[in-house]
C-alpha cells in the first residue's frame, strides 16, 4: 500500500527539488573544487609553463639545456614594445571606464537585474559587448560590472558572476581589436608578398567570424546562467565590504585661486588634447580607411578619456587607480616572452603546428589550425606573439592546399581567444578589480572553454 505524503512532506520535497543543482552546475562545481585545491597562483602557473617548455625543448628537439636557457633569456625582452602597448591599452581602457559618462552607464546597467539568473545574463552580455570593442575594455568592464551587480543582487554566487564576466573575453578576437586580423590588414606585414593585404571585410566580417560571434553572443550568457548553483548552500556570497573600492587619498594641498589650481580644474586642458587626438584619428581613417593597430586603438582610448574627463585632476586619479591593476603584467609578460623565445628558436612551435598541418585536408585545415593555436596560446598568451610564431607555417600550408588565407587567419585568432578561458594571464587585471584569485573562477570558465570550443570548431568545419 502506497503511503500518502503529507502536505509538509510534499512542500519539503518541492523545496529540495527547486534547490537541486542541474547537471551543468554540478559539473562546474566539480571543476571549481579541483581548481580551488590544485590551481596555483598565476605567476606560479607561468613558471610551470616555462619549465614544461624548457624540458620539452630538450627532449623533442636538438636543443641542449644551455641552448634552451639562451633562447629563454634572448626572448624575455623580445616583446617589450608589445608589453608596453598592452599595458597602455589596459590603463587607458580602465581610465575610460572610470569617467562619469561610462561609470554612470554601467551603474544603470547594474541596477537592472534583480535575481541571480538575470545578474549572470546581464554581466555576460555586457562583457561580450565590451570585448567586441576591445579586449582591454572588455576585461575592465567585466570586472567593474560584476562588482556593481554583486552590490545589488546580494544572493548571487560572486565567483560565478566574475567567471561569467571573464567568459565574455572569449569573443574578443572576433571584434575590433583582433590581432591577426589587424596585422594582415596593415600595409607592410610580413606576408604581404604572398597574400597581399587582407581587409577586415574578409576576416572580421567573414561568414565564419560573424557566425561564431552571433552564436556565442546570444547563447553563452544562458550557458553561464545554467552554471550558477540553484542551491543557496553551494553559493559563494561575497561580503559587501570587499566590493568597496580602495580610497585614493586626495592631495592635502590647500585649495587656492592661484592660476595653477584654476588650470588644473578647467575642462579646457583635456579638451585640447582630446580634440588634437580626434583630429589625427579622423585624418588617419580618411587617409587609410578603417585601419586599426594597437597604437591606433590606444590613441582612440586616450582621446575618449581626454574628452570625457572633466579636468586633469580627475584624469590623474583615474590613471592612478588603473595603474595599480597591471603590476602582474610587468612581472609575468617577460616570462611568457621567454617561453615564446624557447618555442620559436628550438622549433617546438614548428613541431606542434606541423603535426596538425600534416593531418589536415583543405576542409579540416581551419579546424586543426584553430586547435593548434589553442594549444600554443596556453604557452604564448599573446595574439601578436602567437601570430608571429604560427603564421610562417599555416599561411604557406593554406596556399598549398588552396584554402583561403583569411580562414586560417581567423582560425589562429579564435584559437588564441579560446584557451584564454584556462590561461590565467589575461584574467589578472579583471581579478584585481574583482578582488578574487584565478582559482576562484577557473572551474566555471572551463564550461565556457568546452562550449566555446564546440561552437568555434563546428563553425570552422561548416564554413
Amino acid at each position: 500500500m502506497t503511503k500518502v505524503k503529507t502536505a509538509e512532506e510534499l512542500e519539503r520535497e518541492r523545496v529540495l527539488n527547486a534547490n537541486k543543482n542541474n547537471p551543468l552546475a554540478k559539473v562546474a562545481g566539480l571543476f571549481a573544487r579541483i581548481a580551488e585545491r590544485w590551481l596555483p597562483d598565476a605567476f606560479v602557473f607561468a613558471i610551470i609553463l616555462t619549465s614544461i617548455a624548457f624540458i620539452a625543448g630538450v627532449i623533442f628537439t636538438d636543443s641542449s639545456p644551455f641552448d634552451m636557457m639562451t633562447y629563454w633569456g634572448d626572448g624575455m625582452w623580445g616583446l617589450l614594445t608589445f608589453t608596453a602597448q598592452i599595458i597602455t591599452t589596459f590603463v587607458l581602457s580602465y581610465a575610460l571606464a572610470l569617467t562619469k559618462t561610462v561609470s554612470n552607464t554601467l551603474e544603470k546597467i547594474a541596477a537592472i537585474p534583480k535575481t541571480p539568473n538575470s545578474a549572470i545574463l546581464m554581466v555576460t552580455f555586457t562583457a561580450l559587448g565590451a570585448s567586441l570593442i576591445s579586449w582591454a575594455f572588455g576585461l575592465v568592464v567585466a570586472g567593474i560590472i560584476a562588482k556593481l551587480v554583486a552590490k545589488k543582487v546580494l544572493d548571487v554566487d560572486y565567483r560565478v558572476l566574475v567567471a561569467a564576466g571573464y567568459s565574455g573575453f572569449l569573443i574578443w578576437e572576433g571584434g575590433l581589436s583582433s590581432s591577426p586580423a589587424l596585422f594582415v590588414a596593415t600595409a607592410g606585414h610580413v606576408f604581404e608578398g604572398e597574400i597581399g593585404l587582407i581587409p577586415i571585410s574578409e576576416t572580421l566580417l567573414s561568414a565564419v567570424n560573424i557566425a561564431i560571434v552571433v552564436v556565442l553572443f546570444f547563447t553563452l550568457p544562458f550557458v553561464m546562467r545554467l552554471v550558477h548553483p540553484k542551491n543557496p548552500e553551494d553559493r559563494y556570497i561575497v561580503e559587501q565590504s570587499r566590493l568597496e573600492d580602495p580610497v585614493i587619498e586626495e592631495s592635502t594641498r590647500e585649495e587656492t585661486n592661484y592660476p595653477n589650481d584654476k588650470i588644473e580644474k578647467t575642462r579646457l586642458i583635456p579638451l585640447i588634447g582630446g580634440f588634437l587626438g580626434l583630429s589625427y584619428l579622423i585624418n588617419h581613417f580618411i587617409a587609410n580607411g578603417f585601419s586599426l593597430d594597437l597604437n591606433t586603438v590606444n590613441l582612440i582610448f586616450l582621446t575618449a578619456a581626454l574628452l570625457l574627463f572633466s579636468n586633469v585632476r580627475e584624469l590623474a586619479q583615474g590613471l592612478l587607480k588603473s595603474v595599480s591593476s597591471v603590476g602582474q603584467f610587468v612581472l609575468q609578460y617577460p616570462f611568457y616572452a621567454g617561453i615564446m623565445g624557447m618555442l620559436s628558436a628550438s622549433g617546438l612551435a614548428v613541431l606542434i603546428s606541423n603535426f596538425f598541418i600534416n593531418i589536415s585536408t583543405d576542409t579540416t585545415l581551419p579546424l586543426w589550425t584553430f586547435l593548434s593555436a589553442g594549444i600554443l596560446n596556453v604557452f604564448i598568451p599573446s595574439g601578436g606573439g602567437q601570430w608571429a610564431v604560427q603564421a610562417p607555417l599555416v599561411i604557406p600550408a593554406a596556399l598549398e592546399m588552396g584554402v583561403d588565407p583569411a580562414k586560417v587567419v581567423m582560425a589562429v585568432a579564435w584559437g588564441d581567444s579560446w584557451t584564454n578561458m584556462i590561461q590565467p594571464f589575461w584574467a589578472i587585471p579583471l581579478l584585481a578589480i574583482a578582488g578574487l584569485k584565478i582559482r576562484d573562477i577557473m572551474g566555471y570558465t572551463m564550461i565556457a572553454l568546452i562550449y566555446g570550443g564546440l561552437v568555434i570548431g563546428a563553425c570552422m568545419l561548416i564554413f
Side-chain angles (χ1 to χ4, degrees), residues 268-288:
L268 178 62
I269 300 300
L271 282 179
I272 292 174
F275 281 120
L276 184 61
L278 185 62
S279 301
Y280 176 88
L281 288 169
I282 292 173
N283 179 68
H284 169 79
F285 290 126
I286 291 175
N288 303 290

Side-chain angles (χ1 to χ4, degrees), residues 12-85:
R12 191 182 305 113
E13 188 176 292
R14 186 192 68 78
V15 172
L16 288 173
N17 288 331
N19 290 336
K20 187 180 293 185
N21 293 330
N22 63 59
L24 191 61
K26 290 180 180 178
V27 172
L30 174 62
F31 286 147
R33 289 190 293 274
I34 294 173
E36 185 177 358
R37 178 170 295 184
W38 292 100
L39 190 68
D41 178 79
F43 181 64
V44 177
F45 192 81
I47 298 298
I48 292 174
L49 290 178
T50 300
S51 302
I52 293 173
F54 186 97
I55 295 170
V58 173
I59 294 175
F60 296 109
T61 73
D62 296 332
S63 304
S64 67
F66 180 81
D67 292 331
M68 295 302 292
M69 178 269 294
T70 303
Y71 301 152
W72 175 78
D74 290 344
M76 281 197 78
W77 309 114
L79 294 178
L80 194 57
T81 299
F82 183 71
T83 304
Q85 287 175 320

Side-chain angles (χ1 to χ4, degrees), residues 39 49 94 140 154 171 237 261 278 294 314 328-330 348 355 376 396 439-440 458:
L39 190 68
L49 290 178
Y94 197 166
V140 170
L154 303 182
I171 210 171
I237 308 300
D261 279 330
L278 185 62
L294 278 173
E314 281 190 11
Q328 285 283 343
F329 273 151
V330 179
L348 270 174
F355 171 79
L376 286 174
R439 68 187 64 171
D440 296 321

Side-chain angles (χ1 to χ4, degrees), residues 13 33 39-40 47 113 139 148 162 167 270 284 346 353 372 374 383 440:
E13 188 176 292
R33 289 190 293 274
L39 190 68
I47 298 298
L139 289 174
L148 292 175
V162 175
S167 72
H284 169 79
S346 69
S353 294
S372 62
D440 296 321

Side-chain angles (χ1 to χ4, degrees), residues 116-200:
N117 283 343
S118 60
I120 299 295
L121 289 175
M122 182 60 69
V123 168
T124 314
F125 273 121
T126 304
L128 285 165
S131 294
L132 287 176
I133 297 173
S134 163
W135 64 265
F137 193 60
L139 289 174
V140 170
V141 167
I144 293 175
I145 196 71
K147 287 182 69 174
L148 292 175
V149 169
K151 291 179 181 180
K152 308 290 184 181
V153 184
L154 303 182
D155 57 342
V156 69
D157 188 310
Y158 189 54
R159 299 168 305 179
V160 180
L161 192 67
V162 175
Y166 187 56
S167 72
F169 190 54
L170 177 63
I171 210 171
W172 82 270
E173 282 279 22
L176 297 179
S177 60
S178 175
S179 300
L182 297 182
F183 282 148
V184 296
T186 303
H189 72 82
V190 177
F191 295 98
E192 186 174 358
E194 291 83 1
I195 61 176
L197 295 179
I198 302 180
I200 61 172

